[in-house]
């Protein structure tokens, strides 16, 4: 499976600021996804990052709050804007593998908003 | 009804025993099913995928799928302390590439 890295691994941010998270894959992948995992909870899909077009957002997530870029087949960014303490979560990117609909996850970014 | 349900609470099993985890899903047209293991503070790791009815074995892990009853299960044989983790069931939604995740089951293997 592909090797996935995320930057930063963790950050502490002030309320009202923004954080941009990078996801880098060591090979070209068709699909990239961004998830949020709140403390003690399961994974919630934020959006599918589409190469060359606007991301596809899940219900409850909007582009103004979570802008996503995907300039090529190996890289994507997720920005969490206008941070509030409720945004404190782990943010994960994932990519599809060779099997039908398999997804592999990056190491995650732990965000704490103060 | 939630898309993917894992209702069991934390599961404590003695070392060497079998751990059994269950998952039900709502979309009868779902085609692909996955089990992820997540250690505390780490990201989910894919451990099993299953696409057709029946059993699929990989080492000490066995996934079981019953599409008619809309459930998928995971058996961990000869449980080891290193199996202590949260196990997440994920189901591919028909017609798109997204995965829906259950809330997970924590497994604690007691030496």
């Amino acid at each position: 499976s592909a090797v996935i890295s995320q930057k930063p691994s963790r950050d502490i941010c002030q309320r009202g600021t923004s954080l941009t998270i990078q996801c880098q894959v060591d090979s070209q992948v068709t699909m990239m996804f961004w998830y949020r995992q709140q403390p003690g909870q399961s994974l919630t899909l934020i959006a599918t990052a589409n190469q060359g077009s606007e991301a596809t957002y899940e219900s409850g997530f909007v582009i103004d709050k979570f802008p996503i870029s995907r300039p090529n087949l190996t890289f994507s960014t997720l920005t969490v804007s206008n941070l509030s303490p409720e945004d404190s979560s782990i943010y994960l990117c994932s990519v599809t593998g060779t099997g039908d609909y398999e997804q592999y996850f990056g190491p995650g970014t732990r965000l704490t908003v103060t | 009804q939630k898309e993917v349900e894992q209702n069991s609470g934390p599961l404590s099993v003695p070392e060497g025993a079998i751990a059994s985890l269950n998952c039900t899903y709502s979309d009868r047209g779902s085609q692909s099913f996955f089990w992820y293991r997540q250690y505390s503070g780490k990201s989910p790791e894919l451990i099993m995928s299953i696409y057709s009815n029946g059993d699929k074995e990989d080492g000490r892990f066995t996934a079981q799928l019953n599409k008619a009853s809309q459930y998928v299960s995971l058996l961990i044989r000869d449980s080891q302390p290193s199996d202590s983790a949260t196990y997440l069931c994920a189901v591919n939604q028909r017609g798109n590439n997204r995965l829906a995740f259950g809330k997970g089951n924590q497994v604690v293997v007691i030496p």
Side-chain angles (χ1 to χ4, degrees):
Chain A
S1 60
V3 175
I4 308 166
S5 60
Q6 284 185 236
K7 290 182 181 179
S9 59
R10 59 179 60 226
D11 207 341
I12 301 173
C13 299
Q14 299 258 346
R15 184 195 301 256
T17 63
S18 299
L19 176 70
T20 295
I21 303 167
Q22 299 179 5
C23 179
Q24 178 76 55
V25 191
D26 70 343
S27 59
Q28 293 185 346
V29 293
T30 306
M31 307 290 291
M32 295 181 76
F33 305 88
W34 287 98
Y35 289 84
R36 180 175 72 183
Q37 188 172 32
Q38 295 178 304
Q41 303 297 314
S42 189
L43 282 76
T44 301
L45 180 63
I46 298 171
T48 302
N50 301 309
Q51 194 268 328
S53 64
E54 196 170 283
T56 304
Y57 290 85
E58 296 296 305
S59 176
F61 297 96
V62 295
I63 187 171
D64 289 347
K65 176 68 174 177
F66 299 98
I68 288 171
S69 77
R70 187 165 177 205
N72 56 53
L73 293 176
T74 64
F75 185 78
S76 178
T77 66
L78 167 73
T79 299
V80 189
S81 304
N82 190 23
L83 290 168
S84 68
E86 292 71 35
D87 295 320
S88 297
S89 288
I90 298 173
Y91 292 86
L92 297 139
C93 70
S94 74
V95 304
T96 47
T98 55
D100 289 347
Y101 305 113
E102 288 179 348
Q103 290 186 24
Y104 297 90
F105 286 86
T109 296
R110 182 181 295 272
L111 169 61
T112 303
V113 182
T114 61
Chain B
Q1 183 183 9
K2 292 185 178 179
E3 294 175 289
V4 181
E5 294 205 51
Q6 294 178 257
N7 288 329
S8 301
L11 180 64
S12 293
V13 295
E15 184 173 354
I18 296 175
S20 177
L21 304 172
N22 295 312
C23 168
T24 58
Y25 59 94
S26 60
D27 183 356
R28 184 171 289 278
S30 298
Q31 297 293 323
S32 306
F33 308 87
F34 308 95
W35 285 98
Y36 287 82
R37 177 176 63 197
Q38 187 173 27
Y39 293 115
S40 180
K42 301 294 185 181
S43 63
E45 173 192 8
L46 179 64
I47 57 172
M48 288 291 285
S49 56
I50 186 166
Y51 304 99
S52 55
N53 282 327
D55 295 0
K56 179 181 178 182
E57 187 174 312
D58 185 358
R60 295 185 295 108
F61 297 102
T62 298
Q64 300 173 317
L65 175 61
N66 184 322
K67 290 185 179 180
S69 300
Q70 294 176 239
Y71 82 80
V72 56
S73 63
L74 179 71
L75 300 178
I76 307 173
R77 293 185 303 280
D78 186 24
S79 295
Q80 300 297 308
S82 60
D83 296 326
S84 297
T86 296
Y87 290 81
L88 300 164
C89 174
V91 178
N92 169 247
Q93 302 294 289
R94 173 176 42 176
N96 60 53
N97 293 292
R98 63 186 291 273
L99 292 182
F101 283 82
K103 66 179 182 180
N105 287 124
Q106 184 182 9
V107 172
V108 178
V109 180
I110 303 167

